[in-house]
Amino acid sequence: MYDYHAHTNYSDGAFLRWMVDAAADAGLDGIGFADHCNVSPEPSARRYKRALGFNLDMTYERRREAIEAVREDAAIEVFDAVEMDYDPAHEGAIAEFLADAGFDYAVGSVHDLDGANVHTRSHFADKPEAERRELVDRYFEKLVALAESELFAVAAHPDLIERNPHLRGFATEDHYAAVADAFRDSRTVPEINAGRLLDDYGEFHPAPAFLDRLVDADVDVTVGTDSHEPDAIAPRVREIEAELDRRGLEPVGLDRVVKRA
Ligand SMILES: [Zn+2]
Ligand SMILES: [Zn+2]
């Protein structure tokens, strides 16, 4: 199995070498590093990435050198990828950056909702329920736009809103149907993401009912552990393998994700 979604200290993860060694120990055939990247010109996005040190737009060439070096003696394949913040308003800037950078593949993520990261509980906590439901509508509209943009090989954690208790439970069958239609017509493959499975949230993204709908609609899937630490990789790989077995699912082949020169 390939894990197409892991982080290094080029964003908010651990050292590249540690992650590669842990991926090999976990029995993976390869690991893809999709560090956070944001090219939005908006001041709030710039402040956020400055605060967190998410600078892959400036550092991807250095990371690429490090990936090339680690490949020389790595036991498994190592992919040079990106987890790009997607917003329909900035498609032009994203497309231009991705074309210039030439990653092995790009993972697209909707992380921003109402000018805040979806994770940020305090931003959503005091809003009335009707408003939070509308924001969940916006989230799924952005996800449909992500699929339609054709900019990405992979769509990350396609129901990230579930991770926030103030947005959880507002996804509807209509949302799922719209997203399933968009993915069926797109090159972009949604991932089964284990990033919070063994954590506070305790489910995969997409949540079971959402994955049911995607599978019913014959949407292909891929997988990602979304690991930031070496120790997280093996247990998440085992859980993903068990879930694929339970459902009789096969992730898409390497060719569907990784672009070879
Ligand atoms: Zn993410
Ligand atoms: Zn991630």
Side-chain angles (χ1 to χ4, degrees):
M1 191 177 99
Y2 294 92
D3 175 3
Y4 294 106
H5 186 162
H7 294 268
T8 75
N9 62 330
Y10 278 81
S11 61
D12 52 354
F15 293 131
L16 178 67
R17 165 67 67 177
W18 295 357
M19 297 298 281
V20 172
D21 289 348
D25 289 347
L28 287 167
D29 298 306
I31 186 161
F33 292 112
D35 278 306
H36 291 287
C37 188
N38 183 303
V39 294
S40 161
E42 282 179 5
S44 64
R46 289 174 63 93
R47 270 199 305 278
Y48 187 79
K49 74 178 184 179
R50 294 287 184 274
L52 296 180
F54 287 177
N55 298 314
L56 197 72
D57 56 327
M58 308 296 291
T59 61
Y60 71 90
E61 287 163 310
R62 290 184 179 196
R63 197 193 62 168
R64 185 164 296 161
E65 285 177 33
I67 288 172
E68 282 163 5
V70 86
R71 275 173 181 156
E72 285 171 16
D73 59 352
I76 58 170
E77 292 206 65
V78 182
F79 304 118
D80 174 12
V82 61
E83 181 177 6
M84 175 64 74
D85 286 335
Y86 172 79
D87 193 291
H90 308 130
E91 253 178 39
I94 295 167
E96 193 179 330
F97 173 75
L98 291 177
D100 278 355
F103 294 106
D104 290 336
Y105 60 91
V107 176
S109 290
V110 176
H111 287 130
D112 178 273
L113 194 59
D114 195 37
N117 192 295
V118 173
H119 295 129
T120 313
R121 295 183 182 197
S122 59
H123 182 87
F124 301 97
D126 298 328
K127 293 187 187 299
E129 182 179 321
E131 194 176 329
R132 285 180 283 133
R133 284 184 184 277
E134 276 173 30
L135 288 169
V136 169
D137 290 343
R138 293 290 90 68
Y139 172 83
F140 284 105
E141 286 165 14
K142 286 188 181 189
L143 187 60
V144 166
L146 184 156
E148 290 176 350
S149 77
E150 299 289 355
L151 288 169
F152 306 102
V154 176
H157 41 60
D159 57 358
L160 191 65
I161 40 116
E162 300 291 345
R163 203 175 278 192
N164 189 323
H166 306 295
L167 301 171
R168 187 174 302 156
F170 296 153
T172 65
E173 288 293 332
D174 286 348
H175 293 142
Y176 293 165
V179 171
D181 280 352
F183 282 130
R184 213 176 31 221
D185 296 339
S186 172
R187 78 173 178 105
T188 305
V189 185
E191 67 172 0
I192 298 176
N193 177 302
R196 291 291 170 94
L197 178 69
L198 302 171
D199 250 300
D200 50 344
Y201 172 46
E203 294 281 4
F204 289 107
H205 299 284
F210 189 9
L211 184 54
D212 288 346
R213 292 292 92 72
L214 294 173
V215 170
D216 290 348
D218 286 323
V219 171
D220 294 323
V221 294
T222 180
V223 298
T225 66
D226 208 349
S227 294
H228 294 71
E229 298 297 330
D231 290 351
I233 298 173
R236 292 178 186 181
V237 165
R238 283 195 291 274
E239 293 288 347
I240 290 172
E241 284 173 340
E243 177 70 4
L244 292 170
D245 270 358
R246 267 194 300 272
R247 288 179 171 269
L249 282 176
E250 191 83 50
V252 294
L254 187 62
D255 295 359
R256 178 82 187 267
V257 177
V258 179
K259 182 173 63 191
R260 298 291 187 173

PDB file of all heavy atoms in Angstrom, residues 28-52:
ATOM      1  N   LEU A  28       4.800  -0.196   4.212  1.00  0.00           N
ATOM      2  CA  LEU A  28       4.289   0.516   3.040  1.00  0.00           C
ATOM      3  C   LEU A  28       5.224   0.306   1.840  1.00  0.00           C
ATOM      4  O   LEU A  28       6.428   0.087   2.009  1.00  0.00           O
ATOM      5  CB  LEU A  28       4.186   2.018   3.347  1.00  0.00           C
ATOM      6  CG  LEU A  28       3.048   2.430   4.278  1.00  0.00           C
ATOM      7  CD1 LEU A  28       3.251   3.874   4.741  1.00  0.00           C
ATOM      8  CD2 LEU A  28       1.695   2.279   3.583  1.00  0.00           C
ATOM      9  N   ASP A  29       4.646   0.411   0.638  1.00  0.00           N
ATOM     10  CA  ASP A  29       5.456   0.384  -0.586  1.00  0.00           C
ATOM     11  C   ASP A  29       5.995   1.765  -0.915  1.00  0.00           C
ATOM     12  O   ASP A  29       6.944   1.897  -1.684  1.00  0.00           O
ATOM     13  CB  ASP A  29       4.608  -0.103  -1.766  1.00  0.00           C
ATOM     14  CG  ASP A  29       4.109  -1.522  -1.538  1.00  0.00           C
ATOM     15  OD1 ASP A  29       4.951  -2.401  -1.270  1.00  0.00           O
ATOM     16  OD2 ASP A  29       2.879  -1.739  -1.594  1.00  0.00           O
ATOM     17  N   GLY A  30       5.354   2.780  -0.351  1.00  0.00           N
ATOM     18  CA  GLY A  30       5.826   4.135  -0.616  1.00  0.00           C
ATOM     19  C   GLY A  30       5.063   5.131   0.231  1.00  0.00           C
ATOM     20  O   GLY A  30       3.983   4.825   0.762  1.00  0.00           O
ATOM     21  N   ILE A  31       5.655   6.313   0.348  1.00  0.00           N
ATOM     22  CA  ILE A  31       5.004   7.378   1.117  1.00  0.00           C
ATOM     23  C   ILE A  31       5.141   8.692   0.351  1.00  0.00           C
ATOM     24  O   ILE A  31       6.192   8.966  -0.250  1.00  0.00           O
ATOM     25  CB  ILE A  31       5.589   7.484   2.549  1.00  0.00           C
ATOM     26  CG1 ILE A  31       4.787   8.493   3.378  1.00  0.00           C
ATOM     27  CG2 ILE A  31       7.097   7.831   2.536  1.00  0.00           C
ATOM     28  CD1 ILE A  31       4.974   8.339   4.880  1.00  0.00           C
ATOM     29  N   GLY A  32       4.078   9.478   0.371  1.00  0.00           N
ATOM     30  CA  GLY A  32       4.096  10.770  -0.306  1.00  0.00           C
ATOM     31  C   GLY A  32       4.009  11.889   0.705  1.00  0.00           C
ATOM     32  O   GLY A  32       3.149  11.853   1.598  1.00  0.00           O
ATOM     33  N   PHE A  33       4.898  12.855   0.555  1.00  0.00           N
ATOM     34  CA  PHE A  33       4.905  13.976   1.490  1.00  0.00           C
ATOM     35  C   PHE A  33       4.120  15.144   0.912  1.00  0.00           C
ATOM     36  O   PHE A  33       4.499  15.740  -0.098  1.00  0.00           O
ATOM     37  CB  PHE A  33       6.341  14.346   1.866  1.00  0.00           C
ATOM     38  CG  PHE A  33       6.957  13.260   2.670  1.00  0.00           C
ATOM     39  CD1 PHE A  33       7.993  12.481   2.168  1.00  0.00           C
ATOM     40  CD2 PHE A  33       6.432  12.937   3.915  1.00  0.00           C
ATOM     41  CE1 PHE A  33       8.518  11.437   2.904  1.00  0.00           C
ATOM     42  CE2 PHE A  33       6.947  11.880   4.662  1.00  0.00           C
ATOM     43  CZ  PHE A  33       7.993  11.134   4.149  1.00  0.00           C
ATOM     44  N   ALA A  34       3.005  15.399   1.571  1.00  0.00           N
ATOM     45  CA  ALA A  34       2.086  16.443   1.136  1.00  0.00           C
ATOM     46  C   ALA A  34       2.088  17.506   2.236  1.00  0.00           C
ATOM     47  O   ALA A  34       1.212  17.534   3.100  1.00  0.00           O
ATOM     48  CB  ALA A  34       0.696  15.850   0.931  1.00  0.00           C
ATOM     49  N   ASP A  35       3.130  18.331   2.224  1.00  0.00           N
ATOM     50  CA  ASP A  35       3.195  19.378   3.240  1.00  0.00           C
ATOM     51  C   ASP A  35       2.249  20.522   2.897  1.00  0.00           C
ATOM     52  O   ASP A  35       1.951  20.775   1.725  1.00  0.00           O
ATOM     53  CB  ASP A  35       4.639  19.884   3.381  1.00  0.00           C
ATOM     54  CG  ASP A  35       5.458  18.969   4.269  1.00  0.00           C
ATOM     55  OD1 ASP A  35       5.016  18.717   5.402  1.00  0.00           O
ATOM     56  OD2 ASP A  35       6.510  18.481   3.809  1.00  0.00           O
ATOM     57  N   HIS A  36       1.813  21.201   3.943  1.00  0.00           N
ATOM     58  CA  HIS A  36       0.857  22.292   3.773  1.00  0.00           C
ATOM     59  C   HIS A  36       1.432  23.414   2.929  1.00  0.00           C
ATOM     60  O   HIS A  36       2.605  23.785   3.069  1.00  0.00           O
ATOM     61  CB  HIS A  36       0.466  22.880   5.138  1.00  0.00           C
ATOM     62  CG  HIS A  36      -0.341  21.946   5.952  1.00  0.00           C
ATOM     63  ND1 HIS A  36      -1.660  21.664   5.675  1.00  0.00           N
ATOM     64  CD2 HIS A  36      -0.035  21.202   7.046  1.00  0.00           C
ATOM     65  CE1 HIS A  36      -2.122  20.805   6.565  1.00  0.00           C
ATOM     66  NE2 HIS A  36      -1.163  20.499   7.406  1.00  0.00           N
ATOM     67  N   CYS A  37       0.575  23.965   2.085  1.00  0.00           N
ATOM     68  CA  CYS A  37       0.992  25.052   1.211  1.00  0.00           C
ATOM     69  C   CYS A  37      -0.222  25.932   0.925  1.00  0.00           C
ATOM     70  O   CYS A  37      -1.329  25.425   0.727  1.00  0.00           O
ATOM     71  CB  CYS A  37       1.538  24.464  -0.085  1.00  0.00           C
ATOM     72  SG  CYS A  37       2.298  25.657  -1.187  1.00  0.00           S
ATOM     73  N   ASN A  38       0.006  27.230   0.956  1.00  0.00           N
ATOM     74  CA  ASN A  38      -1.086  28.180   0.716  1.00  0.00           C
ATOM     75  C   ASN A  38      -0.536  29.314  -0.137  1.00  0.00           C
ATOM     76  O   ASN A  38       0.496  29.889   0.200  1.00  0.00           O
ATOM     77  CB  ASN A  38      -1.612  28.692   2.063  1.00  0.00           C
ATOM     78  CG  ASN A  38      -2.791  29.626   1.908  1.00  0.00           C
ATOM     79  OD1 ASN A  38      -2.705  30.645   1.224  1.00  0.00           O
ATOM     80  ND2 ASN A  38      -3.904  29.290   2.523  1.00  0.00           N
ATOM     81  N   VAL A  39      -1.215  29.608  -1.227  1.00  0.00           N
ATOM     82  CA  VAL A  39      -0.760  30.701  -2.097  1.00  0.00           C
ATOM     83  C   VAL A  39      -1.818  31.794  -2.212  1.00  0.00           C
ATOM     84  O   VAL A  39      -1.788  32.603  -3.143  1.00  0.00           O
ATOM     85  CB  VAL A  39      -0.338  30.191  -3.501  1.00  0.00           C
ATOM     86  CG1 VAL A  39       0.888  29.300  -3.390  1.00  0.00           C
ATOM     87  CG2 VAL A  39      -1.472  29.467  -4.212  1.00  0.00           C
ATOM     88  N   SER A  40      -2.742  31.821  -1.263  1.00  0.00           N
ATOM     89  CA  SER A  40      -3.777  32.852  -1.284  1.00  0.00           C
ATOM     90  C   SER A  40      -3.172  34.227  -1.032  1.00  0.00           C
ATOM     91  O   SER A  40      -2.334  34.394  -0.146  1.00  0.00           O
ATOM     92  CB  SER A  40      -4.804  32.553  -0.188  1.00  0.00           C
ATOM     93  OG  SER A  40      -5.539  33.721   0.095  1.00  0.00           O
ATOM     94  N   PRO A  41      -3.603  35.242  -1.804  1.00  0.00           N
ATOM     95  CA  PRO A  41      -3.102  36.594  -1.570  1.00  0.00           C
ATOM     96  C   PRO A  41      -3.795  37.308  -0.411  1.00  0.00           C
ATOM     97  O   PRO A  41      -3.415  38.431  -0.058  1.00  0.00           O
ATOM     98  CB  PRO A  41      -3.434  37.304  -2.897  1.00  0.00           C
ATOM     99  CG  PRO A  41      -4.619  36.574  -3.430  1.00  0.00           C
ATOM    100  CD  PRO A  41      -4.528  35.155  -2.930  1.00  0.00           C
ATOM    101  N   GLU A  42      -4.786  36.680   0.221  1.00  0.00           N
ATOM    102  CA  GLU A  42      -5.544  37.375   1.268  1.00  0.00           C
ATOM    103  C   GLU A  42      -4.710  37.575   2.536  1.00  0.00           C
ATOM    104  O   GLU A  42      -3.999  36.669   2.959  1.00  0.00           O
ATOM    105  CB  GLU A  42      -6.801  36.580   1.629  1.00  0.00           C
ATOM    106  CG  GLU A  42      -7.888  36.764   0.599  1.00  0.00           C
ATOM    107  CD  GLU A  42      -9.130  35.957   0.921  1.00  0.00           C
ATOM    108  OE1 GLU A  42      -9.192  35.325   1.985  1.00  0.00           O
ATOM    109  OE2 GLU A  42     -10.030  35.970   0.061  1.00  0.00           O
ATOM    110  N   PRO A  43      -4.830  38.761   3.145  1.00  0.00           N
ATOM    111  CA  PRO A  43      -4.040  39.038   4.355  1.00  0.00           C
ATOM    112  C   PRO A  43      -4.243  38.012   5.464  1.00  0.00           C
ATOM    113  O   PRO A  43      -3.293  37.635   6.137  1.00  0.00           O
ATOM    114  CB  PRO A  43      -4.536  40.427   4.789  1.00  0.00           C
ATOM    115  CG  PRO A  43      -5.113  41.039   3.561  1.00  0.00           C
ATOM    116  CD  PRO A  43      -5.628  39.913   2.718  1.00  0.00           C
ATOM    117  N   SER A  44      -5.487  37.532   5.655  1.00  0.00           N
ATOM    118  CA  SER A  44      -5.723  36.580   6.754  1.00  0.00           C
ATOM    119  C   SER A  44      -4.970  35.274   6.489  1.00  0.00           C
ATOM    120  O   SER A  44      -4.406  34.672   7.412  1.00  0.00           O
ATOM    121  CB  SER A  44      -7.221  36.317   6.924  1.00  0.00           C
ATOM    122  OG  SER A  44      -7.741  35.681   5.776  1.00  0.00           O
ATOM    123  N   ALA A  45      -4.954  34.846   5.232  1.00  0.00           N
ATOM    124  CA  ALA A  45      -4.240  33.605   4.887  1.00  0.00           C
ATOM    125  C   ALA A  45      -2.738  33.797   5.049  1.00  0.00           C
ATOM    126  O   ALA A  45      -2.029  32.909   5.525  1.00  0.00           O
ATOM    127  CB  ALA A  45      -4.568  33.187   3.457  1.00  0.00           C
ATOM    128  N   ARG A  46      -2.264  34.979   4.674  1.00  0.00           N
ATOM    129  CA  ARG A  46      -0.825  35.248   4.820  1.00  0.00           C
ATOM    130  C   ARG A  46      -0.424  35.251   6.292  1.00  0.00           C
ATOM    131  O   ARG A  46       0.595  34.672   6.657  1.00  0.00           O
ATOM    132  CB  ARG A  46      -0.471  36.609   4.182  1.00  0.00           C
ATOM    133  CG  ARG A  46      -0.548  36.580   2.661  1.00  0.00           C
ATOM    134  CD  ARG A  46      -0.326  37.982   2.102  1.00  0.00           C
ATOM    135  NE  ARG A  46       0.991  38.487   2.424  1.00  0.00           N
ATOM    136  CZ  ARG A  46       2.054  38.349   1.620  1.00  0.00           C
ATOM    137  NH1 ARG A  46       1.941  37.712   0.482  1.00  0.00           N
ATOM    138  NH2 ARG A  46       3.210  38.852   1.964  1.00  0.00           N
ATOM    139  N   ARG A  47      -1.265  35.887   7.125  1.00  0.00           N
ATOM    140  CA  ARG A  47      -0.965  35.910   8.561  1.00  0.00           C
ATOM    141  C   ARG A  47      -0.916  34.497   9.133  1.00  0.00           C
ATOM    142  O   ARG A  47      -0.035  34.152   9.906  1.00  0.00           O
ATOM    143  CB  ARG A  47      -2.031  36.734   9.309  1.00  0.00           C
ATOM    144  CG  ARG A  47      -1.711  38.221   9.431  1.00  0.00           C
ATOM    145  CD  ARG A  47      -2.532  38.869  10.543  1.00  0.00           C
ATOM    146  NE  ARG A  47      -3.965  38.672  10.378  1.00  0.00           N
ATOM    147  CZ  ARG A  47      -4.744  39.412   9.574  1.00  0.00           C
ATOM    148  NH1 ARG A  47      -4.228  40.406   8.877  1.00  0.00           N
ATOM    149  NH2 ARG A  47      -6.038  39.164   9.471  1.00  0.00           N
ATOM    150  N   TYR A  48      -1.896  33.700   8.722  1.00  0.00           N
ATOM    151  CA  TYR A  48      -1.997  32.327   9.238  1.00  0.00           C
ATOM    152  C   TYR A  48      -0.750  31.522   8.875  1.00  0.00           C
ATOM    153  O   TYR A  48      -0.164  30.843   9.708  1.00  0.00           O
ATOM    154  CB  TYR A  48      -3.264  31.690   8.649  1.00  0.00           C
ATOM    155  CG  TYR A  48      -3.602  30.344   9.206  1.00  0.00           C
ATOM    156  CD1 TYR A  48      -4.223  30.226  10.454  1.00  0.00           C
ATOM    157  CD2 TYR A  48      -3.330  29.180   8.501  1.00  0.00           C
ATOM    158  CE1 TYR A  48      -4.554  28.987  10.970  1.00  0.00           C
ATOM    159  CE2 TYR A  48      -3.656  27.930   9.008  1.00  0.00           C
ATOM    160  CZ  TYR A  48      -4.265  27.843  10.240  1.00  0.00           C
ATOM    161  OH  TYR A  48      -4.591  26.607  10.748  1.00  0.00           O
ATOM    162  N   LYS A  49      -0.333  31.626   7.610  1.00  0.00           N
ATOM    163  CA  LYS A  49       0.818  30.791   7.232  1.00  0.00           C
ATOM    164  C   LYS A  49       2.122  31.338   7.805  1.00  0.00           C
ATOM    165  O   LYS A  49       3.027  30.574   8.115  1.00  0.00           O
ATOM    166  CB  LYS A  49       0.892  30.573   5.716  1.00  0.00           C
ATOM    167  CG  LYS A  49       1.338  31.709   4.872  1.00  0.00           C
ATOM    168  CD  LYS A  49       1.388  31.232   3.394  1.00  0.00           C
ATOM    169  CE  LYS A  49       1.936  32.304   2.493  1.00  0.00           C
ATOM    170  NZ  LYS A  49       2.004  31.851   1.083  1.00  0.00           N
ATOM    171  N   ARG A  50       2.199  32.638   7.993  1.00  0.00           N
ATOM    172  CA  ARG A  50       3.373  33.196   8.674  1.00  0.00           C
ATOM    173  C   ARG A  50       3.427  32.687  10.117  1.00  0.00           C
ATOM    174  O   ARG A  50       4.472  32.301  10.613  1.00  0.00           O
ATOM    175  CB  ARG A  50       3.329  34.726   8.709  1.00  0.00           C
ATOM    176  CG  ARG A  50       3.441  35.403   7.356  1.00  0.00           C
ATOM    177  CD  ARG A  50       4.838  35.334   6.764  1.00  0.00           C
ATOM    178  NE  ARG A  50       4.877  36.083   5.516  1.00  0.00           N
ATOM    179  CZ  ARG A  50       4.544  35.579   4.325  1.00  0.00           C
ATOM    180  NH1 ARG A  50       4.167  34.319   4.214  1.00  0.00           N
ATOM    181  NH2 ARG A  50       4.588  36.334   3.239  1.00  0.00           N
ATOM    182  N   ALA A  51       2.259  32.694  10.776  1.00  0.00           N
ATOM    183  CA  ALA A  51       2.209  32.286  12.181  1.00  0.00           C
ATOM    184  C   ALA A  51       2.629  30.824  12.344  1.00  0.00           C
ATOM    185  O   ALA A  51       3.337  30.476  13.288  1.00  0.00           O
ATOM    186  CB  ALA A  51       0.807  32.502  12.738  1.00  0.00           C
ATOM    187  N   LEU A  52       2.202  29.976  11.401  1.00  0.00           N
ATOM    188  CA  LEU A  52       2.473  28.546  11.544  1.00  0.00           C
ATOM    189  C   LEU A  52       3.775  28.124  10.870  1.00  0.00           C
ATOM    190  O   LEU A  52       4.253  27.010  11.077  1.00  0.00           O
ATOM    191  CB  LEU A  52       1.307  27.741  10.951  1.00  0.00           C
ATOM    192  CG  LEU A  52      -0.034  27.928  11.659  1.00  0.00           C
ATOM    193  CD1 LEU A  52      -1.101  27.089  10.994  1.00  0.00           C
ATOM    194  CD2 LEU A  52       0.062  27.564  13.132  1.00  0.00           C
TER     195      LEU A  52
END
